[in-house]
Amino acid sequence: MNDNKFKLPASISRRRFVQGLAIGGVIASFPHVVRAGSSFKDVVRAGSSFKDNAATGSAPELSGKVIELTIAESLVNFTGVVRTATTINGSIPAPTLRLREGDEVTIKVTNTLSVPSSIHWHGIILPYQMDGVPGLSFKGIMPGETFVYKFKLQQSGTYWYHSHSGFQEMTGMYGALIIEPREQDIIVADREYVVQLSDWTDDDPMKVFSKLKVQDDIYNYNQPTVRDFFRDLSEKGLSSALSKRKMWQEMRMSPTDLGDVSSAVLTYLFNGSTPLANWRGLFKKGEKVRLRFINGASNTFFDVRIPELQMTVVQSDGQNVHPVTVDEFRFGPGETYDVLVTPQSDAYTIFAQTIERTGYARGTLAVADNINAPVPAVDPVEWLAMADMMGNMSHGGSMTEGAMDHSQHGAAMPMDLSQHAGPAAAYAKASTQVRHASTEYGPSVDMRVDTPRTNLDDPGIGLRNNGRKVLTLSDLHSLENVIEPQRPEAEIELHLTGNMERYSWSIDGLEFGQSTPVHMKLNQCVRVILQNDTMMPHPMHLHGMWSDLESESGELQVRRHTIPVQPAQRISFLTTPHDVGRWAWHCHLLFHMDAGMFREVVVS
Amino acid sequence: MRIIKLVSSAPVIALTASLLLVNAGVMADSQMDHSEMDHSKMKHGDKAMDHSAMDHSKMKHGDTAIDHSEMDHSKMNHDDKAMDHSQMDHSKMNHDDKAMDHSQMDHSKMNHGDKVMDHSQMDHSKMNHDDKAMDHSQMDHSKMNHDDKAMDHSQMDHDDKAMDHSQMDHGDMKMQGGKAPADARDPHAYSGGYTLADGPYAIGGGRQLKLLDEHRFYAIRADRLEHQFATDSLAFELQGWYGTTFNRLAIKLDGEVSDGKLEESQTDLLWSRAVYSFWDAQLGARFDTYTEGESRQWLALGVQGLAPYWFEVDVTAYLGNSGRTAIAAEAEYELLFTQRLILQSSVGLTAYGKDDAINGIGKGLASLNAGMRLRYEFSRQFAPYIGVEWMAKYGNSADYARANNEPTVTTSVVAGVRFWF
């Protein structure tokens, strides 16, 4: 995939690397068969001749019941360096597919790469053979082969699709998938834009991963320094400066371990445009504009806001929610949010800074082509808090586990009756007793949380008390008809685990290769408890079925396909699989998934 | 002992209130840091609780153990009367000599109904629980209902007994390491007996999906590749590994080149296995070569890893021919002045069980070394450095050095590069 790397003569500055090129993106696209006989020079020439056809900015749109897609290698230039990308129909992002609920669609995908490929329809309920995970739901699409996906669309909303093979997604294979409701859309807007955020690396993703394996903090340039220490010393005194560091030092953990990768190796894209290229969407003042935000990044959480413009969140993961108006939201790879905005000024910046605060993706909403709004500075890095390591500290320490739980005062009262009502109510509420797996006590795990937090109203590190109204999971409530009533008949507890020093990621301390599948019974409702025993958030994506998030007090709250679990957090959701088969379930941070934070689900 | 409808419920309420402070006392003794405590979900409903002037200052429970273990308050009912404890004085209470066991108390059905409790004048400041541990571990407050009423702790005075939680040791919480308890969850319990390779809907042909947890990686790193000015020689310390996350083949090369000749070298070839979160056990062989001397071979058994406070540690014990033994230990610590300017401090020692005169090595502590190297990381993978290295020989090793007209202590300025790929 990377045998075509060469540098343009011009040297690139660091600034250009982060900001990207004003013009750039896909400069040429060619099937592997064409390339096979070509020399490097031919490739360059081919690239040059296509240079004006840069397929970035908003992706082309395809609609109808029959869609044809071609996977190929393309030359791209985001930062001043020509690189080989894997693309779908020669664009980054891939074409936006606009389909219709209730339709049976046929999507023919031809692979012209020299390696197997695949496309997964993220968040779509379909037969497992159509889910597109090579080695699990099918054998993959072999080089030169065309695979025909055929499935009926039983849902509507904003989704996306991407390769599920190796690091192909990271090198360009992702696009939006919009399913129009069969009946009239209850979300009414005067115009709409897809905003697909992603990240790009000029390096071979495999090389990036390998480097993390050697030195886990290689891309972290916000590590605690002596200078920071003396600043704390002068501002807060010696004992405070020391105690702030004591536990991190003792535990061999980094308080700035907010993300594995950073702008040191990534460039952030907004609909395939670098921050310098500045993607632009036009509007007329007073119009209601719908923005369909999709996080299609490989490894990046984005914090999205539009300074001076409030956003009303109306959909999450394709499912309508009670409108909630916010200034900002955080989302991880795999998640989507639809928002409505009513811009009144001439121009706005859609600003998406990354969780580790090293860069941003950015676009402009404006009334005309030549107007821009200021671009805010990236917020300073905030150290992880104790809550991100230990969870709920209110009763940690000397108390015997589970002995005193004040968190249930009041809130738990309605459940008390049902607890005496018989076996049917055995799973009335998610169990709060932390049960670490026996395999969490080995070298694959660097910490375990004994007192996890269960609240959903924390916006997360870097967003707490920032003066803006930030969306949290507790703000999201599905519309009344979205989730069918269900009662769990079984409970599954899984812990998200890792060892940063070894750059190993796992579930229950077992990487995928060591694991066994999770078995679920067809049409049986199961409660899943996910506890995050790491200091990073993980967007957990369960294929083939919905994840209906429960509130802390046990009420069904919002339907998702990807559930972000914060550090030291313990959350629960219900799922009822209605389709048999083998399904993937993994952290959608691509490196975490590939490192082993992945489970197979068998539904039978 | 069952208490049904107390004529005056005041003592019971006072006791409950005192328990709250008793808890605080226990915590103080165990030095906890509550600075990050989150009470955000405590719910006391609509009213404020005011314990502002509680005076239990001289509570004394004398010589007799108080066992409240069977108390059942479940049918207490304070519905109809407001309780005013404002003038309570517990000032002479003394719990000195006896342990109280409240472990079986059940407050679950207490009902304070419609009335406000005013504890505002209570003073617990001189309660003394010094000598005995109180075990509240089994208390179940989970069904207490304070919804309608309110507790205001805002005036609580902890002045006399400052609670210092700053020394709380979370080591007890065992967030890291340790042994799995016998009742730890079975990670395969949900599998229904199926595996990744077979069971319903497996696509056949064995397991197809493999991720990078089964991939083998490699690294080669030069921790030191430097010119030592004092001896006008080149010293190197290289490490390489190949393997998965938990099982690796590791090679360590140490040596010195002067006048274009490899003066001496030490090569460790090891199987490195991850045994704890931050530690690898290593087993293998070591090969020593000398320009003037005799080569030696050893069996090697060691540990390499990261100690608390980020000390990189490498300790290896060796067993050689004819009963030779040796030990080598090394520790490094890094200080980041900026993100790229980094000071590495290191210390090391070697010790031997037998004299090895031909190689200039004596029994006992043979050498100590310490170094400081300041590097600038152009990237995390490439950093030139300057520094100083001090090395001293001891015991018989020092005698051999003197006999050869070699210095027993050398201090050298060094300059070199550090890199990995």
Side-chain angles (χ1 to χ4, degrees):
Chain A
M1 155 177 27
N2 297 281
D3 46 347
N4 279 328
K5 285 193 173 172
F6 48 89
K7 288 199 173 186
L8 288 183
S11 67
I12 55 162
S13 68
R14 164 90 196 134
R15 177 138 193 94
R16 163 151 299 183
F17 181 57
V18 174
Q19 293 266 307
L21 281 183
I23 338 155
V26 180
I27 57 176
S29 175
F30 48 92
H32 174 72
V33 281
V34 173
R35 192 184 60 87
S38 317
S39 69
F40 262 25
K41 278 179 183 168
D42 295 332
V43 171
V44 178
R45 227 174 286 129
S48 314
S49 63
F50 279 89
K51 213 162 193 171
D52 295 334
N53 295 348
T56 54
S58 288
E61 199 167 288
L62 299 175
S63 57
K65 291 183 184 177
V66 180
I67 305 278
E68 291 190 10
L69 301 176
T70 304
I71 302 166
E73 288 191 336
S74 299
L75 292 182
V76 292
N77 184 350
F78 289 111
T79 64
V81 186
V82 174
R83 287 287 184 264
T84 307
T86 43
T87 59
I88 299 169
N89 287 13
S91 71
I92 294 180
T96 295
L97 308 186
R98 196 170 282 272
L99 311 175
R100 188 142 183 253
E101 183 184 6
D103 279 357
E104 172 151 305
V105 291
T106 303
I107 306 175
K108 300 172 183 167
V109 182
T110 303
N111 176 15
T112 69
L113 304 176
S114 57
V115 293
S117 188
S118 60
I119 289 181
H120 163 63
W121 317 97
H122 186 110
I124 307 299
I125 304 296
L126 38 57
Y128 77 97
Q129 300 93 331
M130 298 291 124
D131 195 45
V133 180
L136 206 62
S137 39
F138 73 150
K139 287 188 182 297
I141 312 173
M142 296 302 136
E145 195 183 287
T146 299
F147 185 85
V148 181
Y149 289 92
K150 206 172 209 174
F151 49 90
K152 190 173 180 185
L153 297 166
Q154 314 165 47
Q155 63 201 97
S156 65
T158 303
Y159 303 90
W160 65 300
Y161 64 103
H162 58 81
S163 169
H164 221 286
S165 302
F167 290 126
Q168 289 169 5
E169 177 199 329
M170 196 171 172
T171 53
M173 279 181 67
Y174 46 84
L177 173 55
I178 312 295
I179 308 174
E180 302 285 5
R182 196 80 197 160
E183 311 298 329
Q184 201 184 355
D185 199 336
I186 60 166
I187 301 169
V188 180
D190 300 308
R191 78 174 68 218
E192 68 165 67
Y193 291 107
V194 169
V195 177
Q196 187 158 24
L197 304 178
S198 62
D199 46 22
W200 169 263
T201 176
D202 280 338
D203 275 2
D204 173 0
M206 186 61 189
K207 204 181 237 173
V208 176
F209 187 96
S210 306
K211 287 180 181 179
L212 285 163
K213 208 75 192 161
V214 182
Q215 187 178 351
D216 65 279
D217 60 359
I218 177 171
Y219 301 115
N220 181 357
Y221 283 91
N222 284 311
Q223 300 186 39
T225 62
V226 175
R227 195 192 285 174
D228 298 333
F229 176 76
F230 280 107
R231 195 195 53 226
D232 285 346
L233 181 67
S234 67
E235 285 172 11
K236 298 174 191 155
L238 179 65
S239 74
S240 166
L242 284 175
S243 70
K244 183 179 171 185
R245 284 158 178 78
K246 182 168 185 274
M247 186 171 305
W248 299 107
Q249 295 274 316
E250 255 175 306
M251 293 186 67
R252 295 151 283 190
M253 308 287 242
S254 167
T256 61
D257 191 9
L258 304 162
D260 302 338
V261 276
S262 70
S263 66
V265 71
L266 297 178
T267 301
Y268 305 105
L269 304 181
F270 186 116
N271 284 337
S273 299
T274 62
L276 263 184
N278 190 14
W279 177 92
R280 182 176 296 272
L282 298 182
F283 67 89
K284 293 197 182 92
K285 280 186 193 177
E287 276 185 334
K288 195 173 270 184
V289 182
R290 178 179 187 170
L291 301 172
R292 298 176 185 263
F293 284 99
I294 300 166
N295 188 336
S298 60
N299 292 286
T300 305
F301 270 82
F302 287 103
D303 294 341
V304 180
R305 69 184 202 266
I306 310 175
E308 311 294 320
L309 190 60
Q310 288 202 308
M311 303 179 281
T312 302
V313 177
V314 291
Q315 200 179 86
S316 84
D317 285 5
Q319 299 293 296
N320 292 334
V321 296
H322 285 283
V324 51
T325 299
V326 297
D327 298 319
E328 186 169 20
F329 64 86
R330 165 171 292 173
F331 69 157
E335 297 181 72
T336 75
Y337 284 112
D338 283 33
V339 309
L340 291 175
V341 293
T342 311
Q344 303 287 354
S345 303
D346 287 345
Y348 298 88
T349 293
I350 304 175
F351 185 70
Q353 59 178 335
T354 64
I355 189 173
E356 82 298 325
R357 301 288 184 257
T358 63
Y360 59 87
R362 154 257 188 161
T364 297
L365 281 180
V367 294
D369 271 339
N370 51 354
I371 313 176
N372 286 315
V375 179
V378 169
D379 288 338
V381 170
E382 199 182 324
W383 280 27
L384 288 163
M386 282 305 145
D388 298 307
M389 185 190 254
M390 306 197 156
N392 180 359
M393 289 294 295
S394 55
H395 298 107
S398 68
M399 303 282 179
T400 305
E401 188 176 290
M404 297 181 73
D405 185 354
H406 288 224
S407 68
Q408 306 198 355
H409 285 191
M413 291 311 286
M415 307 309 298
D416 290 347
L417 290 171
S418 59
Q419 278 174 2
H420 301 289
Y427 299 107
K429 193 169 180 290
S431 77
T432 53
Q433 195 200 339
V434 173
R435 294 166 67 221
H436 294 300
S438 56
T439 37
E440 277 189 79
Y441 295 79
S444 61
V445 173
D446 60 15
M447 65 174 261
R448 295 180 305 271
V449 178
D450 287 333
T451 55
R453 53 201 175 118
T454 53
N455 57 309
L456 302 178
D457 58 0
D458 174 21
I461 188 66
L463 297 177
R464 296 169 186 142
N465 308 311
N466 66 0
R468 304 187 285 264
K469 160 90 174 117
V470 185
L471 184 77
T472 67
L473 284 179
S474 69
D475 296 323
L476 294 171
H477 298 270
S478 287
L479 290 190
E480 280 66 23
N481 56 353
V482 170
I483 309 178
E484 66 268 18
Q486 47 193 332
R487 273 201 161 280
E489 293 172 57
E491 191 171 88
I492 290 172
E493 176 171 346
L494 295 175
H495 289 205
L496 311 177
T497 47
N499 185 329
M500 192 63 193
E501 188 69 21
R502 300 189 188 279
Y503 203 69
S504 167
W505 298 100
S506 52
I507 294 175
D508 283 347
L510 290 177
E511 296 82 1
F512 175 68
Q514 313 291 316
S515 74
T516 46
V518 172
H519 179 241
M520 294 183 189
K521 287 184 185 148
L522 185 66
N523 296 324
Q524 185 192 63
C525 177
V526 184
R527 171 182 289 116
V528 174
I529 295 170
L530 292 179
Q531 178 174 318
N532 187 345
D533 282 344
T534 79
M535 296 196 309
M536 276 184 193
H538 302 287
M540 296 301 296
H541 175 47
L542 174 55
H543 291 218
M545 61 200 90
W546 292 108
S547 303
D548 295 331
L549 183 70
E550 292 185 299
S551 73
E552 194 181 356
S553 54
E555 287 119 28
L556 273 181
Q557 208 187 297
V558 62
R559 171 157 279 192
R560 303 288 303 245
H561 51 55
T562 305
I563 294 206
V565 192
Q566 289 199 31
Q569 190 181 36
R570 180 183 174 94
I571 62 166
S572 67
F573 65 84
L574 303 186
T575 186
T576 308
H578 294 304
D579 296 285
V580 298
R582 297 234 168 190
W583 303 96
W585 187 8
H586 58 89
C587 175
H588 221 283
L589 293 164
L590 203 53
F591 283 170
H592 291 188
M593 173 184 111
D594 247 297
M597 196 179 267
F598 189 116
R599 278 291 177 278
E600 200 172 302
V601 175
V602 180
V603 177
S604 66
Chain B
M1 184 166 64
R2 287 204 143 220
I3 303 177
I4 305 172
K5 285 227 176 188
L6 286 169
V7 178
S8 161
S9 46
V12 180
I13 301 303
L15 186 61
T16 312
S18 71
L19 286 175
L20 291 171
L21 293 190
V22 167
N23 270 336
V26 170
M27 289 175 174
D29 286 339
S30 36
Q31 297 180 319
M32 295 195 293
D33 177 359
H34 292 228
S35 63
E36 301 292 326
M37 274 170 72
D38 177 4
H39 289 219
S40 62
K41 263 160 262 102
M42 281 174 69
K43 183 166 178 183
H44 303 289
D46 303 315
K47 301 291 176 206
M49 295 192 287
D50 180 6
H51 297 238
S52 61
M54 288 158 82
D55 177 7
H56 291 218
S57 63
K58 292 180 189 106
M59 278 170 78
K60 173 158 188 164
H61 296 281
D63 300 321
T64 315
I66 319 186
D67 181 351
H68 300 257
S69 65
E70 299 301 313
M71 280 166 74
D72 180 349
H73 297 228
S74 64
K75 303 221 179 62
M76 280 170 69
N77 186 337
H78 305 288
D79 276 3
D80 300 317
K81 299 290 168 188
M83 289 187 277
D84 181 350
H85 302 256
S86 64
Q87 302 305 315
M88 279 166 69
D89 183 350
H90 297 241
S91 62
K92 307 222 174 61
M93 281 169 77
N94 184 337
H95 301 272
D96 277 0
D97 301 317
K98 297 294 163 185
M100 292 196 281
D101 180 354
H102 300 246
S103 65
Q104 302 302 316
M105 279 168 74
D106 180 354
H107 294 225
S108 64
K109 300 199 187 84
M110 277 171 76
N111 184 342
H112 300 287
D114 300 315
K115 298 301 166 191
V116 176
M117 293 189 279
D118 178 2
H119 300 238
S120 64
Q121 306 299 315
M122 284 163 76
D123 176 0
H124 293 232
S125 65
K126 303 215 178 63
M127 279 171 73
N128 185 342
H129 303 281
D130 280 357
D131 300 319
K132 296 295 164 184
M134 287 189 259
D135 177 5
H136 299 247
S137 64
Q138 301 303 315
M139 279 167 72
D140 176 7
H141 292 219
S142 65
K143 298 190 189 95
M144 278 171 75
N145 185 345
H146 299 278
D147 276 2
D148 297 330
K149 297 300 157 197
M151 296 197 254
D152 175 3
H153 294 235
S154 66
Q155 304 298 315
M156 276 170 75
D157 180 3
H158 297 273
D159 281 358
D160 291 346
K161 294 269 176 189
M163 288 195 272
D164 178 3
H165 300 199
S166 67
Q167 302 303 312
M168 184 164 159
D169 178 4
H170 291 260
D172 291 347
M173 288 178 69
K174 301 257 165 33
M175 287 185 73
Q176 299 182 307
K179 265 209 150 127
D183 62 347
R185 191 162 48 80
D186 172 10
H188 303 292
Y190 308 119
S191 70
Y194 302 135
T195 69
L196 298 178
D198 46 53
Y201 311 107
I203 62 172
R207 187 153 70 83
Q208 308 267 314
L209 181 60
K210 293 213 173 177
L211 300 175
L212 295 180
D213 58 303
E214 296 172 82
H215 190 82
R216 288 189 182 87
F217 296 88
Y218 74 91
I220 294 170
R221 60 188 313 150
D223 288 329
R224 296 165 59 188
L225 185 60
E226 66 194 20
H227 185 74
Q228 301 201 330
F229 289 91
T231 50
D232 193 21
S233 61
L234 178 82
F236 60 88
E237 199 178 305
L238 311 172
Q239 291 200 22
W241 58 261
Y242 169 79
T244 62
T245 307
F246 305 109
N247 281 295
R248 289 173 179 174
L249 181 68
I251 183 164
K252 301 176 188 176
L253 292 167
D254 261 319
E256 208 180 307
V257 178
S258 60
D259 298 331
K261 277 190 304 190
L262 185 64
E263 287 289 309
E264 55 179 79
S265 75
Q266 178 185 323
T267 305
D268 286 63
L269 197 59
L270 305 160
W271 166 50
S272 185
R273 171 155 180 84
V275 285
Y276 297 112
S277 304
F278 297 94
W279 296 96
D280 294 345
Q282 299 181 328
L283 177 68
R286 166 178 142 187
F287 308 93
D288 297 347
T289 65
Y290 300 90
T291 312
E292 296 157 13
E294 252 176 50
S295 295
R296 299 271 178 243
Q297 292 84 41
W298 311 79
L299 284 177
L301 177 65
V303 289
Q304 185 170 20
L306 197 57
Y309 297 93
W310 297 97
F311 286 96
E312 286 205 39
V313 175
D314 187 354
V315 179
T316 313
Y318 300 98
L319 181 63
N321 297 333
S322 40
R324 291 182 204 285
T325 54
I327 192 158
E330 231 180 275
E332 287 174 10
Y333 186 76
E334 298 200 331
L335 213 51
L336 278 71
F337 289 112
T338 71
Q339 296 302 323
R340 293 172 187 275
L341 187 66
I342 297 167
L343 180 70
Q344 183 205 60
S345 309
S346 58
V347 292
L349 70 80
T350 58
Y352 290 82
K354 260 190 171 180
D355 284 335
D356 186 1
I358 192 159
N359 290 323
I361 292 166
K363 184 181 170 181
L365 178 65
S367 70
L368 280 181
N369 66 288
M372 298 262 246
R373 288 170 178 80
L374 184 68
R375 69 175 186 267
Y376 184 83
E377 293 192 341
F378 285 99
S379 80
R380 293 276 185 247
Q381 287 180 260
F382 178 79
Y385 63 81
I386 53 167
V388 57
E389 175 80 10
W390 169 90
M391 214 267 276
K393 291 181 176 175
Y394 294 92
N396 293 350
S397 299
D399 294 339
Y400 295 136
R402 281 185 211 102
N404 281 333
N405 280 328
E406 286 170 7
T408 57
V409 177
T410 51
T411 304
S412 180
V413 172
V414 300
V417 288
R418 175 191 155 100
F419 60 87
W420 62 263
F421 55 87

